[in-house]
Amino acid sequence: MIELWFVIIAFLWTGYFVLEGFDFGVGMLAPLVSRNPGEQRQSLQTIGPVWDGNEVWLITAVGAMFAAFPAWYAGVFSSFYLPVTLVLVGLIVRGVGLEWRGKVNDPRWCDLGIVVGSALPAFLWGAVFADLLFDSVPAALLGGAFSLAVCALHGAVFLALKTTGPVRRRARVVALAASGVAVPVAVAALSGLGTFPALAAMAALAAATALIWRRREGWAFAATAGAIVLSTLAVFMELRLRPFPGLTLAEAASGPYTLTMLSWIGLIALPFVLVYQGWTYWVFRKRVRVEGTLLTHG
C-alpha cells in the first residue's frame, strides 16, 4: 500500500506539471505573441476552458500527500512555507486575471497578473523540488530556472498547436527561442540526477526543438509533455529513497487502515476525474480561430 500510494502521488504531480505547465507557459507568453486585444483573447482562450480543471490535479496531489503520508506533507509544506504561499498567491492572481479581464474596461492589469501569476508558480515549484532533493540554494535556483524554461517552451508549443494566423507563427518563433534556453538549462539541472529518465528528458527536449523547426506542433507538444513526465519521474525516483531529510517512506506513511480506505476512495473517484478531463479536452480539441470579433474552436 505504501508503494502504491507513492506511485499515485507521483502520477498526480506529473499530471499537474504536464497540464499546468502549458497553462503557465501560455499565461507568460500571451502578451509576447499577441499584437492586439483580439490576438490576446485568442491566446488566452486556448487555456480558457481547461485551466481551472488543471488545478484540480494540484489539489488532489496535495490532498493525497496529506492523507497517505502526513509526516512527508508536514515536513515539505512547513519547510517551504514561504515559496508555497507565494505559489498560492500567484495562482489566485492568475485566476482573478483570467476571470476578470473580459469584465473590465482596461484589462492591462489583468494581463500583468496573468503573466506574474503564471511565472511565479512555474519557477517556485522547480525550486522547491530541487531544494528538496539537494538542499542547496544554487540547486534550487537552477531547478526553478529549469521549470520556468520548460513551461515557457511547453506553452509556446501549445499555442502553436492551438491557434491560427499570426499568433501561431509567432508562437513557433518563441518556441524555438525558448528551446534554445530550455535544453542547456535542462542539461545543467538534470545531469545531477544521472538516471535514465533524466537523460531521456534531455533527449525529448532536443527532439521537441527539431519538431518545432519542422512545424510538427502535435509531435513537438508530445515531446515537451514527455520531457516533463520523465523529469518528474526522475525526481520522484530520488524522493522514493528519501522523501524528506531524516525520513523514510515507511516512516512518513499513514497506517494500513487509512491507506486501505484511501485506496477504495481513489478507485471510485479517480476514474470519474480522468474521464471528465478527457471529455473536456476532446470537446475543445480544435484550434482557436478569430472570425471577425468572435473566437471559435474549429
Side-chain angles (χ1 to χ4, degrees):
M1 283 293 184
I2 292 175
E3 294 287 344
L4 172 64
W5 271 96
F6 182 79
V7 170
I8 291 173
I9 290 170
F11 169 76
L12 293 171
W13 277 107
T14 301
Y16 172 68
F17 289 139
V18 169
L19 298 176
E20 280 278 78
F22 69 74
D23 274 3
F24 293 151
V26 170
M28 289 186 284
L29 299 175
L32 190 62
V33 301
S34 307
R35 297 292 182 271
N36 56 58
E39 290 181 354
Q40 178 77 353
R41 291 196 304 273
Q42 181 187 15
S43 299
L44 293 176
Q45 186 59 29
T46 62
I47 61 172
V50 298
W51 68 269
D52 48 355
N54 292 342
E55 289 187 353
V56 172
W57 288 78
L58 174 62
I59 298 168
T60 309
V62 172
M65 284 182 67
F66 172 77
F69 297 97
W72 185 23
Y73 168 89
V76 170
F77 287 94
S78 60
S79 298
F80 298 101
Y81 181 82
L82 179 58
V84 170
T85 300
L86 290 176
V87 165
L88 295 177
V89 170
L91 294 177
I92 291 169
V93 169
R94 183 185 69 143
V96 171
L98 288 168
E99 291 292 339
W100 279 89
R101 74 173 313 277
K103 301 178 175 66
V104 296
N105 293 326
D106 185 358
R108 287 178 295 179
W109 288 106
C110 293
D111 291 339
L112 178 62
I114 293 168
V115 172
V116 174
S118 299
L120 199 61
F123 176 84
L124 288 173
W125 280 130
V128 166
F129 277 91
D131 192 68
L132 191 60
L133 289 180
F134 299 109
D135 193 21
S136 162
V137 173
L141 294 175
L142 182 59
F146 165 70
S147 61
L148 184 66
V150 171
C151 284
L153 174 59
H154 198 38
V157 174
F158 185 76
L159 277 169
L161 177 65
K162 292 287 291 180
T163 58
T164 60
V167 171
R168 182 186 181 189
R169 292 193 294 271
R170 294 187 203 110
R172 281 201 298 258
V173 173
V174 172
L176 285 171
S179 68
V181 176
V183 172
V185 172
V187 171
L190 297 175
S191 295
L193 295 176
T195 59
F196 174 76
L199 298 174
M202 300 179 211
L205 288 174
T209 305
L211 290 163
I212 296 163
W213 183 262
R214 296 182 61 189
R215 301 186 178 186
R216 303 293 297 274
E217 293 103 340
W219 286 108
F221 182 74
T224 55
I228 295 173
V229 170
L230 291 164
S231 300
T232 309
L233 176 60
V235 168
F236 274 87
M237 284 174 62
E238 297 293 324
L239 290 176
R240 178 181 174 275
L241 303 175
R242 187 181 65 96
F244 194 76
L247 193 68
T248 66
L249 203 60
E251 292 169 342
S254 296
Y257 177 79
T258 300
L259 294 178
T260 300
M261 291 300 297
L262 285 174
S263 298
W264 282 108
I265 294 171
L267 184 64
I268 296 169
L270 190 57
F272 286 100
V273 174
L274 295 176
V275 169
Y276 172 75
Q277 283 230 300
W279 175 79
T280 302
Y281 278 96
W282 175 257
V283 169
F284 295 101
R285 66 190 181 278
K286 296 182 179 180
R287 293 182 184 271
V288 179
R289 304 175 184 274
V290 180
E291 298 179 358
T293 60
L294 299 177
L295 298 178
T296 62
H297 288 264

